[in-house]
Amino acid sequence: GAGVSQSPRYKVAKRGQDVALRCDPISGHVSLFWYQQALGQGPEFLTYFQNEAQLDKSGLPSDRFFAERPEGSVSTLKIQRTQQEDSAVYLCASSANTGFSEQYFGPGTRLTVT
Amino acid sequence: QKEVEQNSGPLSVPEGAIASLNCTYSDRGSQSFFWYRQYSGKSPELIMSIYSNGDKEDGRFTAQLNKASQYVSLLIRDSQPSDSATYLCAVTPSFSGGYNKLIFGAGTRLAVHP
């Protein structure tokens, strides 16, 4: 079946612009995660949804970052007033269940802030 | 001390040899453990999951977990040039709150040469 998809794959934003990154999880997957990956580093947790509920947003770097999953499927990560330090790859992952089940990653969105 | 530590490499092995990748973690209560493979410019791809002490084999891959020593390893038998990638170790910490809030190491770069 179809895997996790993300769009856009690449985004260039001028400093101060708002961006919205979309994630389509595997159909029926309950859990959805967002991670941020800087060059040469492992992914870092940003936020977690169980269905439409955002249960953990402890990894969001600032109040400029906002995520939603209103109908429990597609999720959007929004970054307001982008800064150069926001440049990274943003990865979305989903898993079938709650608990410690395996996560599957989408292709990521590479954000470059100029 | 980083929560999940990996040697950055590169680990260079000849084709056909066994590649041994190691990972240590600081949270003694960590609950589940994963290995991901990441090709340059691509997103992480799940290779193995392991939840209890001992070995788990899947094809050419064997994951080994030793909770007392707080390490997890990945063995790749009959290494192929196509195995050349960065291997990420990921751990679910004790404070994860009942969901799979993964903590990643920075990854080990593996180079398999013909």
Side-chain angles (χ1 to χ4, degrees):
Chain A
V4 179
S5 61
Q6 292 186 246
S7 61
R9 294 292 311 280
Y10 304 91
K11 178 68 179 178
V12 178
K14 292 187 188 303
R15 189 162 58 95
Q17 283 185 332
D18 298 349
V19 298
L21 312 180
R22 177 187 169 106
C23 172
D24 277 272
I26 295 171
S27 178
H29 275 201
V30 168
S31 295
L32 187 146
F33 301 80
W34 284 98
Y35 293 84
Q36 180 190 60
Q37 187 173 24
L39 193 64
Q41 299 299 314
E44 291 196 2
F45 172 85
L46 293 177
T47 188
Y48 165 64
F49 289 87
Q50 180 180 317
N51 295 308
E52 69 279 4
Q54 187 176 22
L55 298 187
D56 189 337
K57 51 184 180 180
S58 63
L60 296 176
S62 75
D63 58 8
R64 296 185 295 103
F65 286 71
F66 171 77
E68 59 183 7
R69 192 187 186 197
E71 296 179 358
S73 55
V74 171
S75 177
T76 304
L77 177 66
K78 298 179 179 177
I79 309 173
Q80 297 177 325
R81 305 181 302 282
T82 53
Q83 303 295 312
Q84 284 195 315
E85 62 263 28
D86 300 334
S87 296
V89 176
Y90 291 85
L91 295 163
C92 175
S94 70
S95 62
N97 303 304
T98 58
F100 307 132
S101 53
E102 298 166 342
Q103 290 179 36
Y104 300 92
F105 282 84
T109 295
R110 181 177 297 276
L111 173 65
T112 303
V113 181
T114 61
Chain B
Q1 180 188 11
K2 290 185 180 178
E3 294 179 82
V4 179
E5 296 212 47
Q6 298 180 254
N7 189 318
S8 62
L11 174 65
S12 183
V13 301
E15 185 174 357
I18 296 175
S20 178
L21 303 158
N22 299 312
C23 169
T24 59
Y25 57 94
S26 60
D27 180 357
R28 184 169 288 277
S30 295
Q31 303 177 73
S32 52
F33 308 84
F34 303 86
W35 283 99
Y36 285 84
R37 177 174 63 197
Q38 188 170 30
Y39 292 112
S40 180
K42 301 296 186 183
S43 63
E45 173 192 6
L46 181 66
I47 297 176
M48 294 283 286
S49 59
I50 186 165
Y51 300 92
S52 55
N53 278 330
D55 294 0
K56 179 181 177 182
E57 186 174 318
D58 184 359
R60 295 187 297 115
F61 299 99
T62 298
Q64 299 175 317
L65 174 61
N66 184 323
K67 289 187 176 181
S69 300
Q70 294 174 238
Y71 83 78
V72 57
S73 63
L74 180 70
L75 301 178
I76 307 174
R77 288 181 298 281
D78 188 23
S79 296
Q80 301 296 310
S82 58
D83 294 326
S84 298
T86 296
Y87 288 79
L88 298 165
C89 172
V91 172
T92 307
S94 58
F95 55 84
S96 69
Y99 47 90
N100 221 357
K101 181 176 179 175
L102 294 178
I103 306 295
F104 282 84
T108 297
R109 189 157 61 92
L110 173 67
V112 181
H113 54 86

